Amino acid sequence: MPKIRDYGSQQLGAQGGVFSSRSDRSGEIMGQAIAGAGEAVQQFGDAIYRRQVQDETTLAQEKISEAREKYSIRIQEDLRNGTLKSEDIDRDYKEDIEKASEGITTNRVRNLYDRQAASLGASLQRTASIGQAQLAGKLAVESWENSSDADGVSLQQSPTTFNEVYRGELEFINEKVNAGDLSVLEGEKLSRESGNKLSKNAMLGWIN
């Protein structure tokens, strides 16, 4: 008997194959679309982060510049007023610089800010310490001058106390040198001036 060919099954199979191919293609397109969307989101996020870093870097530089100007002026003013203390400068600077960092949230910029703040702090501390030493030296010299003037008047009245008075002034000068208020050279200079000044006053006492 002749075999009848099943055209319907073949057609269905062919159509099924077509449907399957279309379905696979649709899934591939959808996957590509999702991947593209994810990449776009990533690029958008990167752009936002770069802008944030840029804005915070500008903010950090402004805060550092403001702190530099503020404390440079303060050190000079405190030095002129005779109130300069390096420990006060260091304490207040650290408090201000920490408050100024509140708007900085990215680790990259915060690390940069911390490094620049530490460098500026060290520089300000050195300047304040030098200024404080200069101020201490100035005060020490003024104190010696006042004391030496009084000693001179005393010697004019009692010239026999010259050795005692001179020894007292040398002890005062040595104390200031040991405390760091005067350098060794400054101490030697004051010691010579002290001897000359007291000798003249003692001589006036003997004459009178």
Side-chain angles (χ1 to χ4, degrees):
M1 175 183 294
K3 187 175 182 180
I4 301 174
R5 304 176 69 179
D6 189 355
Y7 293 101
S9 298
Q10 290 182 353
Q11 184 178 5
L12 180 60
Q15 291 176 346
V18 171
F19 292 154
S20 177
S21 176
R22 289 178 179 175
S23 177
D24 292 344
R25 181 58 179 165
S26 177
E28 180 181 350
I29 293 173
M30 183 176 295
Q32 291 175 350
I34 293 174
E39 183 178 353
V41 170
Q42 180 64 40
Q43 291 176 351
F44 182 69
D46 291 344
I48 292 177
Y49 176 76
R50 287 194 297 271
R51 179 57 183 271
Q52 184 178 6
V53 167
Q54 182 179 358
D55 291 344
E56 290 189 5
T57 299
T58 300
L59 175 64
Q61 297 294 343
E62 290 175 351
K63 296 299 182 181
I64 293 295
S65 296
E66 290 173 0
R68 179 183 293 105
E69 181 179 4
K70 175 182 178 179
Y71 282 92
S72 295
I73 293 174
R74 175 177 167 180
I75 288 172
Q76 295 301 318
E77 290 179 345
D78 288 355
L79 182 59
R80 284 194 298 270
N81 296 331
T83 58
L84 178 61
K85 293 183 179 180
S86 59
E87 58 270 25
D88 291 346
I89 296 294
D90 184 58
R91 181 196 63 237
D92 294 346
Y93 170 76
K94 288 179 178 179
E95 291 178 357
D96 283 353
I97 213 69
E98 183 61 29
K99 291 178 181 178
S101 69
E102 294 177 354
I104 302 173
T105 59
T106 60
N107 291 332
R108 178 179 175 182
V109 180
R110 182 55 193 258
N111 291 335
L112 174 64
Y113 177 81
D114 288 344
R115 289 196 301 271
Q116 293 184 346
S119 177
L120 175 58
S123 177
L124 291 172
Q125 186 66 10
R126 285 193 299 271
T127 302
S129 297
I130 293 173
Q132 184 174 341
Q134 293 173 345
L135 179 60
K138 179 180 178 181
L139 294 176
V141 171
E142 290 177 353
S143 179
W144 167 79
E145 289 175 344
N146 294 332
S147 176
S148 186
D149 288 342
D151 289 340
V153 173
S154 176
L155 282 176
Q156 290 182 27
Q157 298 172 354
S158 303
T160 57
T161 61
F162 172 82
N163 289 337
E164 180 182 351
V165 172
Y166 185 38
R167 187 180 303 111
E169 287 203 6
L170 292 180
E171 289 177 355
F172 171 83
I173 293 170
N174 286 332
E175 288 178 0
K176 295 301 180 181
V177 171
N178 292 333
D181 296 339
L182 293 172
S183 68
V184 174
L185 292 178
E186 289 172 332
E188 293 176 349
K189 178 182 178 182
L190 289 186
S191 296
R192 290 192 299 270
E193 291 181 3
S194 178
N196 294 333
K197 186 176 181 179
L198 294 179
S199 296
K200 292 178 180 178
N201 282 287
M203 290 177 62
L204 289 175
W206 285 113
I207 293 173
N208 297 331

